[in-house]
């Protein structure tokens, strides 16, 4: 076997490996780099917290834990619905998959409305972006997550469109959109743990 | 009269010239801003007038020589921008993407790139200037520099969409997603208009130190990918050969040299 054929064979074997990867492998670069960026935000938050522990605890008491829990349940449920959407797509039950995708959009919208309501409530009580170091981190982390969520709505729009037309329905694109949504959910779980639970 | 292959070779040589100019431009940019003028990392936003005068005095010759270099060679940015625009025009997407990108960055170069040079040079030009005027120039320089980050945000999004919907495989799809990462770090600069201190100020841990490695990675990657694009460019209108095909075509020649 010539060297070129051998190389081609290896490349094909590698392609097969890539095929088993959920979604577009290129999207995983986004997941990895964005996770690193968020990890650095979390490290900076934790470092700031160690510097002003008492002040952070006092400011943290303004948050409503139950609202954070509801937010988390809503978003985790949306992760479940999008996973169901992918499963039904793979089983070629496109109409059911589309309903699960729309349910994900609805849950994402509920999360967003709850988040805006929480911000409004905090601002009414005098806790703003500039009122304390903790609130600076709180508003920053929740806002940057909300921006990811808004991009997620665009991604879900692509997913719903894919499921709507019989000639579209690219399974890989649907898995890629789902990967993005799971990443946004994962970031929220860590944000919830750091901002609401860690005392 | 030039043959077709001769014409293509000439056109490719021109692209390579533009690529080397791009490398020189970004290299010069890093050396001047980080090394000579030490305007990056940015100065503290909360300096009082006397501290600002001391800041200028500490960098007197660095600012004059560094920004002198920028005034002479800063126009290279146009070549780098033209090469990126050409690569977007080579995609299967509407020319609107390339023109939007071109216009956006061409306009932004003046406040985002030249204002800081003019303001800082004016700051060191007369050391006896009233400290309050020096502080004003200091703020103008850094705020004009930071204030154009929104341009990078929209520019990255334009490039991202173009890469993701392109069928001519000018750039790999993962570069489209990397554009999104870069765009999201530009959003983080927005709070620096509110905060003079802390992690979100323009010299803060989040406002600057997290963003710079991402931007550095992004810049290095797109310079590399432009090189890859030029290697594959066939001046047609259809899909470019995949990088692996170019590598396979080049390999027998490499093996022959090795033998």
């Amino acid at each position: 076997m010539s060297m070129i054929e051998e190389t081609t064979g290896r490349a094909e074997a590698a392609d097969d490996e890539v095929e088993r990867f959920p979604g577009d492998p290129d999207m995983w670069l986004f997941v990895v780099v964005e996770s690193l960026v968020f990890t650095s935000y979390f490290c900076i938050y934790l470092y700031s917290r160690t510097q002003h522990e008492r002040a952070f605890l006092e400011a943290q008491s303004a948050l409503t834990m139950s609202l954070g829990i509801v937010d988390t349940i809503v978003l985790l449920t949306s992760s479940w619905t999008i996973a169901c959407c992918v499963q039904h797509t793979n089983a070629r039950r496109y109409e059911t998959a589309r309903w699960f995708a729309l349910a994900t959009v609805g849950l994402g919208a509920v999360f967003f409305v709850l988040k805006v309501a929480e911000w409004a409530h905090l601002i009414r009580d005098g806790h703003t972006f500039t009122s304390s170091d903790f609130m600076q981190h709180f508003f920053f982390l929740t806002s940057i997550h909300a921006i990811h969520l808004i991009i997620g709505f665009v991604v879900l729009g692509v997913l719903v469109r894919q499921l709507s037309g019989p000639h579209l329905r690219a399974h890989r694109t649907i898995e890629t959109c789902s990967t993005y949504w799971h990443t946004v959910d994962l970031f929220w779980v860590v944000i919830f743990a750091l901002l609401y639970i860690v005392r | 009269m030039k043959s077709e292959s001769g014409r293509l070779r000439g056109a490719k040589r021109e692209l390579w010239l533009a690529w080397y100019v791009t490398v020189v431009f970004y290299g010069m940019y890093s050396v001047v801003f980080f090394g000579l003028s030490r305007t990056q990392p940015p100065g503290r936003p909360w300096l009082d007038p006397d501290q600002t005068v001391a800041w200028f005095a500490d960098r007197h010759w660095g600012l004059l020589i560094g920004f002198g270099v920028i005034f002479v060679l800063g126009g290279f940015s146009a070549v780098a921008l033209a090469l990126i625009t050409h690569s977007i025009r080579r995609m299967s997407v509407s020319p609107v993407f390339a023109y939007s990108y071109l216009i956006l960055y061409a306009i932004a170069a003046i406040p985002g790139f030249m204002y800081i040079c003019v303001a800082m040079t004016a700051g060191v030009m007369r050391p006896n200037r009233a400290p309050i005027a020096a502080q004003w120039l200091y703020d103008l320089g850094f705020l004009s520099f930071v204030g154009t980050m929104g341009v990078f945000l929209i520019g990255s999004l334009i490039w991202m969409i173009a890469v993701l919907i392109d069928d001519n495989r000018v750039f790999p799809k993962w570069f489209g997603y990397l554009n999104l990462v870069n765009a999201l770090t530009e959003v983080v600069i927005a709070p620096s208009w509110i905060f003079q201190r802390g992690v979100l100020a323009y010299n803060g841990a989040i406002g600057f130190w997290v963003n710079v490695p991402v931007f550095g990675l992004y810049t290095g990657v797109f310079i590399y990918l432009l090189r890859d694009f030029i290697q594959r460019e066939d001046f047609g209108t259809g899909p470019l050969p995949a990088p692996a095909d170019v590598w396979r075509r080049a390999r027998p020649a490499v093996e022959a040299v090795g033998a």
Side-chain angles (χ1 to χ4, degrees):
Chain A
M1 191 192 273
S2 77
M3 207 160 189
I4 294 174
E5 281 168 340
E6 200 177 308
T7 311
T8 312
R10 271 206 302 271
E12 278 165 6
D15 283 349
D16 288 344
E17 285 293 316
V18 168
E19 283 301 324
R20 283 195 286 277
F21 219 64
D24 184 355
D26 292 347
M27 170 53 98
W28 287 90
L29 178 93
F30 171 83
V31 173
V32 170
V33 178
E34 203 56 8
S35 299
L36 287 172
V37 171
F38 264 83
T39 304
S40 56
Y41 295 156
F42 299 147
C43 290
I44 291 164
Y45 166 76
L46 286 171
Y47 176 76
S48 302
R49 191 188 167 83
T50 58
Q51 300 302 300
H52 315 281
E53 205 155 342
R54 189 181 290 266
F56 268 60
L57 270 173
E58 278 171 22
Q60 201 175 9
S61 62
L63 300 185
T64 313
M65 174 72 91
S66 54
L67 203 54
I69 292 170
V70 172
D71 279 343
T72 309
I73 291 170
V74 168
L75 221 47
L76 287 177
T77 311
S78 80
S79 257
W80 174 74
T81 53
I82 196 112
C84 289
C85 168
V86 172
Q87 270 189 339
H88 284 286
T89 303
N90 289 339
R92 301 187 186 282
R93 291 190 291 270
Y94 297 111
E95 195 49 35
T96 319
R98 203 168 78 89
W99 280 110
F100 273 109
L102 290 171
T104 310
V105 175
L107 288 163
V110 169
F111 176 89
F112 188 69
V113 169
L114 284 173
K115 195 45 57 200
V116 172
E118 186 181 16
W119 288 336
H121 172 72
L122 284 168
I123 291 167
R124 253 200 320 272
D125 289 352
H127 303 289
T128 65
F129 206 10
T130 52
S131 62
S132 67
D133 278 354
F134 173 80
M135 283 298 161
Q136 182 178 327
H137 281 279
F138 172 82
F139 279 103
F140 168 69
L141 286 172
T142 52
S143 304
I144 196 79
H145 178 263
I147 290 169
H148 282 73
L149 191 85
I150 290 166
I151 296 169
F153 288 133
V154 177
V155 171
L156 289 177
V158 172
L159 191 151
V160 171
R161 187 171 174 273
Q162 288 277 323
L163 289 168
S164 301
H167 55 289
L168 294 167
R169 289 176 185 166
H171 289 210
R172 175 169 274 203
T173 307
I174 290 163
E175 283 184 349
T176 304
C177 295
S178 150
T179 305
Y180 179 88
W181 192 259
H182 285 306
T183 308
V184 173
D185 289 358
L186 174 70
F187 291 156
W188 172 257
V189 171
V190 184
I191 290 171
F192 170 67
L194 288 177
L195 295 179
Y196 292 81
I197 296 177
V198 173
R199 300 276 167 168
Chain B
M1 197 173 169
K2 269 187 178 176
S3 68
E4 185 61 16
S5 65
R7 193 185 65 77
L8 289 180
R9 253 202 317 277
K12 207 156 212 182
R13 207 176 297 137
E14 288 155 17
L15 288 183
W16 279 119
L17 180 65
W19 186 79
Y20 281 110
V21 168
T22 304
V23 173
V24 169
F25 170 72
Y26 278 101
M28 175 196 74
Y29 184 92
S30 308
V31 169
V32 167
F33 278 84
F34 284 87
L36 275 173
S37 68
R38 288 184 286 137
T39 43
Q40 297 294 313
R44 295 171 198 154
W46 65 86
L47 292 188
D48 65 30
D50 291 332
Q51 287 173 317
T52 313
V53 171
W55 186 91
F56 276 119
D58 186 41
R59 290 160 173 77
H60 186 87
W61 285 108
L63 287 169
L64 290 178
I65 295 168
F67 289 147
V69 172
I70 292 282
F71 288 132
V72 174
L73 302 176
F76 276 170
S77 65
V79 182
L81 179 54
L83 183 58
I84 295 171
T85 307
H86 169 72
S87 71
I88 301 175
R89 283 289 283 121
R90 182 64 182 78
M91 294 178 188
S92 62
V93 300
S94 161
V96 166
F97 287 94
Y99 297 144
S100 307
Y101 192 91
L102 178 69
I103 294 167
L104 199 63
Y105 279 80
I107 293 171
I110 297 166
F113 181 43
M114 298 310 283
Y115 273 16
I116 185 170
C117 301
V118 175
M120 296 301 176
T121 307
V124 288
M125 191 180 164
R126 299 183 202 282
N128 298 326
R129 203 191 295 274
I132 195 79
Q135 190 188 35
W136 190 86
L137 288 166
Y138 178 88
D139 288 345
L140 176 69
F142 281 122
L143 288 178
S144 65
F145 186 78
V146 173
T148 47
M149 295 302 157
V151 171
F152 287 91
L153 162 70
I154 303 300
S156 297
L157 291 178
I158 289 171
W159 208 356
M160 174 196 80
I161 297 168
V163 170
L164 291 181
I165 64 176
D166 169 42
D167 292 325
N168 284 355
R169 55 189 182 198
V170 172
F171 292 110
K173 298 295 176 205
W174 59 259
F175 180 62
Y177 298 120
L178 190 63
N179 267 288
L180 181 58
V181 174
N182 188 60
L184 287 165
T185 56
E186 305 298 351
V187 175
V188 171
I189 310 284
S192 69
W193 291 97
I194 302 170
F195 295 101
Q196 286 192 16
R197 288 169 188 270
V199 295
L200 295 172
Y202 63 63
N203 69 335
I206 292 175
F208 182 79
W209 293 102
V210 174
N211 286 355
V212 163
V214 174
F215 185 69
L217 171 77
Y218 174 71
T219 307
V221 164
F222 81 64
I223 290 175
Y224 174 80
L225 290 176
L226 284 170
R227 175 178 168 273
D228 179 67
F229 157 68
I230 297 170
Q231 279 174 340
R232 294 182 296 126
E233 172 65 303
D234 55 5
F235 299 99
T237 51
L240 286 172
D245 294 341
V246 173
W247 181 77
R248 276 178 201 143
R249 273 209 304 272
R251 194 174 166 88
V254 173
E255 280 170 357
V257 170

